[in-house]
Amino acid sequence: MKKILSVLIICLLSACASKTTQPTSELEDRTMGGGGMGASAQEGMRAGGGGFGMDPLRDPSNILSQRSIYFDFDNYTIKNEYRDLVLAHARYLRDNSNSKVLIQGNTDERGSREYNLALGQRRADSVKNAMLLSGARDHQLEAVSLGEEKPRAAGRDESSWTENRRADILYQGEY
Amino acid sequence: MQNYLHRASFYAFILFLSMMHTPLNAALNIEIFGGGATRIPIAIVPFSAESRLPQSVTTIVAADLARTGLFKIVESLGHTPHEPEEIVYADWQNQGASALVIGNTTTLPDGRIEVRFRLMDIAKQVQLTGFTSTVSADQLRAVAHRIADIIYEALTGDIGVFSTRIAYVLKQGTKYALQVADSDGHNAQSVIEYTEPIISPAWSPDGSKLAYVSFENKKPVVYVQELVTRNRKAVANFKGSNSAPAWSPDGSKLAVVLTMQGGSQIFLINADGSGVQRLTQSSGIDTEPSFSPDGRSIIFTSDRGGSPQIYRVAITGNQAGIAERLTFEGSYNVSPRFSPDGKSFAYIHRHGGRFNVAVQDFSRRQVQILTDSKFDESPSFAPNGKMILYATEIGGRGILSAVSSDGQTKQRLTSQAGDIREPVWGPLLKSQRTSKFIN
């Protein structure tokens, strides 16, 4: 009974995909951890519109190719402009249950290294929690912090610090 | 003149070559600032046959003592006594010396060197202390540090820490090296080198191991590494981030910060990584634990009150009591470290955009800011509590500095190349306390 219900839910979730949808058994496989390129291609179509057949995670016209969420100084709330990005990744993970991501939080260089590590963790946790609320599952997500240790911008000015107050989403195989 | 310039540029070129050749082996030099008003005048006569040794012993002894700011090195006179009966006390008295160091070195047939030294009281014309030791040539620096320790103890009554070691992280280009060096910055050796960051080194209480955080797996993981065997083990590699290791005083446990249960919280683990138990329970950040010398409490950084401040919590078994806030001045107080006597703690205090080393005592809660630089980090007490080692910055580059715990003397340890951070002073070892005395 449970099985039938989950298959039903998955059918509903991927409702807009019709002709390219694979047989039910394969859909079931996917939730169990099998391959799942079909759903990702559909997600790509839906989210970005273009690049059919291209990996949506790498398609520049697809929102899924965007991986960085920027934060304000001493802050870890996700700004409105990044809601769609986080939502798109959460849905991708929901539809590709064998996909996993590492969310790396970063901070600017000012202050204690260990305290900054904890602040970076908060940023990564914010992204993780938003994804959990939007359909991704806990086992697909790992939130970690790089603190101030891996700055993307090396400068010691406000624009560099802005660049470094960031969380990055990395899919398995990308780290 | 031209010849001199020519030669100088040649040496500069050789120096440049040698720096190129050993990218992660930069020696540290030390500059001293300030100094107490009442310094002990001491004369140090080069030991007999010392000039034939690969390493001058008395030069290191003099540098060690001068670095504390407690001694004034008195110039040697024309005559150079090596035995007590050769000393003309009146001459040294006229030079203003109150103590005199003399000694001998003898190279034995097997290549080892016998070093004998005596510390003489000029006014009383008696020997205060002395020792003899037979060592190989590569142990001459160690012998010199031991001699300096013995002199320091005899003349100040405090424990000498010249024989201890320090650890720090050296960044050069894209490489990170965790290095261990003598307390004077010499003899630096890499424990591990990586192209990913290393932070938060922590000495085991017996000085045989270092715990640290490495990012080699694209996330922070806590490792413990044995210095002699170089064996290492990931002791905290849980889902999420693992960081801020601190040893319990008996070396059996580590306090670490884990995020596996959400948020950054302090846990206790056994030194081999087993037996994880949560210690703090807050919805905020709890990090940077430091054990009290008796192991009964820890101090740590927490933002549970809105800004990062330092808290203390008692530990009974593996249970933590109610946390008590210790710092109230300013909106950013981080990186606390217990003093070796447990009576005070050092930390980083931010005020007016500056990050400085401060000390606060537990009984009176009095705060003393010890430094006036811009970006100080990672304070760490010397095992005798007299100095605090910390990282600071000059020209965008990290360097090591030390300040006496009364703020009187500052010394700067600089390296020719690279960016130095995360210094931590190693423990006093029992083996360093044994020496053969001569009368």
Side-chain angles (χ1 to χ4, degrees):
Chain A
M1 183 61 203
K2 249 186 187 168
K3 221 176 210 175
I4 297 166
L5 200 72
S6 69
V7 168
L8 242 159
I9 288 169
I10 288 155
C11 288
L12 281 171
L13 290 175
S14 48
C16 79
S18 50
K19 295 227 169 69
T20 53
T21 307
Q22 286 129 19
T24 323
S25 62
E26 276 206 10
L27 266 175
E28 214 180 322
D29 264 348
R30 216 150 60 208
T31 60
M32 306 301 281
M37 200 46 221
S40 63
Q42 293 149 20
E43 184 62 48
M45 293 277 285
R46 218 179 321 159
F52 181 75
M54 200 172 175
D55 181 354
L57 298 173
R58 292 172 200 281
D59 178 359
S61 67
N62 193 312
I63 193 167
L64 292 170
S65 68
Q66 293 172 34
R67 305 299 187 78
S68 294
I69 297 113
Y70 292 89
F71 295 87
D72 287 338
F73 175 70
D74 203 21
N75 203 308
Y76 54 96
T77 49
I78 298 168
K79 290 191 266 188
N80 280 336
E81 57 195 289
Y82 298 106
R83 293 273 165 203
D84 289 347
L85 192 163
V86 173
L87 193 67
H89 284 286
R91 285 191 177 143
Y92 179 85
L93 288 167
R94 181 195 65 196
D95 298 341
N96 296 271
S97 58
N98 59 326
S99 285
K100 286 183 177 177
V101 295
L102 182 69
I103 306 158
Q104 294 177 325
N106 296 272
T107 66
D108 65 39
E109 63 182 352
R110 292 169 291 177
S112 148
R113 290 177 186 277
E114 280 288 353
Y115 188 67
N116 281 342
L117 200 67
L119 290 176
Q121 183 69 36
R122 267 202 179 139
R123 289 179 178 153
D125 283 342
S126 287
V127 175
K128 178 185 168 177
N129 291 334
M131 285 183 166
L132 281 173
L133 290 173
S134 306
R137 292 172 199 90
D138 190 63
H139 73 89
Q140 295 179 288
L141 306 167
E142 182 172 14
V144 303
S145 180
L146 303 181
E148 61 174 278
E149 306 309 323
K150 301 279 282 180
R152 187 182 278 172
R156 319 202 65 186
D157 44 56
E158 197 40 61
S159 71
S160 296
W161 289 334
T162 304
E163 178 68 28
N164 294 335
R165 290 193 293 265
R166 194 184 76 247
D168 293 326
I169 299 167
L170 288 86
Y171 281 80
Q172 218 165 22
E174 295 174 344
Y175 56 89
Chain B
M1 183 64 189
Q2 207 171 3
N3 188 29
Y4 169 76
L5 278 176
H6 194 76
R7 208 183 296 171
S9 62
F10 174 73
Y11 285 136
F13 179 65
I14 294 293
L15 185 70
F16 174 69
L17 277 184
S18 64
M19 280 164 66
M20 296 285 287
H21 194 66
T22 52
L24 286 173
N25 196 16
L28 295 163
N29 290 324
I30 288 163
E31 296 169 53
I32 305 151
F33 307 90
T38 53
R39 291 190 287 171
I40 302 165
I42 185 168
I44 301 168
V45 177
F47 296 168
S48 71
E50 200 183 8
S51 57
R52 290 206 294 271
L53 299 179
Q55 172 66 58
S56 160
V57 173
T58 50
T59 312
I60 298 168
V61 173
D64 277 351
L65 296 176
R67 212 164 54 245
T68 63
L70 298 175
F71 296 87
K72 184 174 157 235
I73 308 298
V74 174
E75 284 294 303
S76 267
L77 291 169
H79 57 262
T80 53
H82 301 302
E83 299 293 342
E85 53 273 21
E86 295 166 13
I87 300 169
V88 184
Y89 286 99
D91 287 357
W92 294 104
Q93 215 151 12
N94 290 339
Q95 277 293 100
S98 61
L100 174 67
V101 178
I102 58 169
N104 304 280
T105 63
T106 315
T107 303
L108 304 176
D110 65 1
R112 290 186 305 156
I113 300 138
E114 187 189 76
V115 181
R116 285 199 295 145
F117 109 92
R118 296 169 195 272
L119 174 65
M120 311 302 295
D121 184 319
I122 296 293
K124 292 182 185 152
Q125 306 194 1
V126 293
Q127 179 178 323
L128 292 170
T129 185
F131 94 169
T132 179
S133 184
T134 305
V135 298
S136 57
D138 60 0
Q139 292 174 308
L140 284 169
R141 293 199 76 90
V143 163
H145 292 314
R146 275 171 67 192
I147 291 172
D149 280 337
I150 291 165
I151 296 168
Y152 182 88
E153 287 172 33
L155 297 180
T156 70
D158 277 323
I159 299 164
V161 291
F162 306 114
S163 297
T164 57
R165 288 181 299 169
I166 59 171
Y168 53 85
V169 176
L170 171 65
K171 187 189 179 207
Q172 276 187 320
T174 56
K175 279 189 184 170
Y176 296 81
L178 173 59
Q179 295 201 322
V180 169
D182 290 354
S183 67
D184 60 359
H186 284 275
N187 227 354
Q189 285 174 322
S190 288
V191 174
I192 196 158
E193 291 181 7
Y194 259 107
T195 48
E196 294 292 338
I198 298 165
I199 62 167
S200 306
W203 288 91
S204 64
D206 67 359
S208 69
K209 297 185 274 283
L210 279 172
Y212 56 88
V213 176
S214 167
F215 289 76
E216 64 202 68
N217 293 322
K218 308 300 172 192
K219 60 178 256 186
V221 172
V222 178
Y223 289 86
V224 167
Q225 183 156 354
E226 282 179 39
L227 294 180
V228 174
T229 62
R230 305 254 165 148
N231 286 341
R232 67 180 204 138
K233 188 185 177 191
V235 294
N237 186 10
F238 300 98
K239 190 176 181 183
S241 299
N242 310 266
S243 68
W247 295 86
S248 66
D250 66 1
S252 67
K253 287 177 189 288
L254 286 164
V256 289
V257 172
L258 308 177
T259 68
M260 63 172 177
Q261 293 180 5
S264 297
Q265 293 286 296
I266 300 169
F267 290 71
L268 275 182
I269 58 171
N270 294 324
D272 64 358
S274 64
V276 188
Q277 270 178 302
R278 186 164 172 172
L279 200 59
T280 59
Q281 306 275 352
S282 79
S283 55
I285 289 170
D286 290 347
T287 188
E288 301 186 307
S290 166
F291 273 93
S292 63
D294 64 7
R296 288 187 190 161
S297 63
I298 59 162
I299 49 176
F300 60 99
T301 306
S302 177
D303 72 344
R304 57 184 71 191
S307 65
Q309 300 291 346
I310 293 155
Y311 291 76
R312 175 168 58 176
V313 73
I315 310 168
T316 358
N318 291 321
Q319 296 295 310
I322 294 161
E324 167 204 13
R325 183 169 164 177
L326 299 174
T327 51
F328 293 91
E329 283 180 37
S331 59
Y332 194 92
N333 293 300
V334 296
S335 310
R337 288 294 181 101
F338 259 103
S339 67
D341 65 5
K343 289 178 179 164
S344 62
F345 62 98
Y347 60 104
I348 295 296
H349 169 73
R350 185 184 69 189
H351 58 122
R354 288 173 179 272
F355 297 82
N356 291 122
V357 178
V359 168
Q360 183 175 324
D361 65 292
F362 284 104
S363 58
R364 290 175 301 152
R365 303 242 156 156
Q366 209 156 5
V367 178
Q368 197 189 351
I369 296 163
L370 302 180
T371 61
D372 53 8
S373 24
K374 230 178 162 181
F375 294 110
D376 299 335
E377 288 184 353
S378 317
S380 161
F381 274 98
N384 65 359
K386 294 292 164 189
M387 301 290 289
I388 297 164
L389 184 66
Y390 62 98
T392 189
E393 221 186 73
I394 286 182
R397 201 161 62 83
I399 64 158
L400 301 189
S401 280
V403 60
S404 56
S405 37
D406 60 1
Q408 286 284 309
T409 311
K410 289 190 188 78
Q411 47 178 279
R412 186 187 292 168
L413 295 83
T414 53
S415 76
Q416 282 84 357
D419 187 6
I420 296 189
R421 66 275 288 275
E422 304 285 274
V424 57
W425 209 313
L428 201 62
L429 302 182
K430 289 217 165 61
S431 61
Q432 289 165 357
R433 304 262 63 84
T434 57
S435 50
K436 220 193 297 172
F437 285 85
I438 52 167
N439 296 306

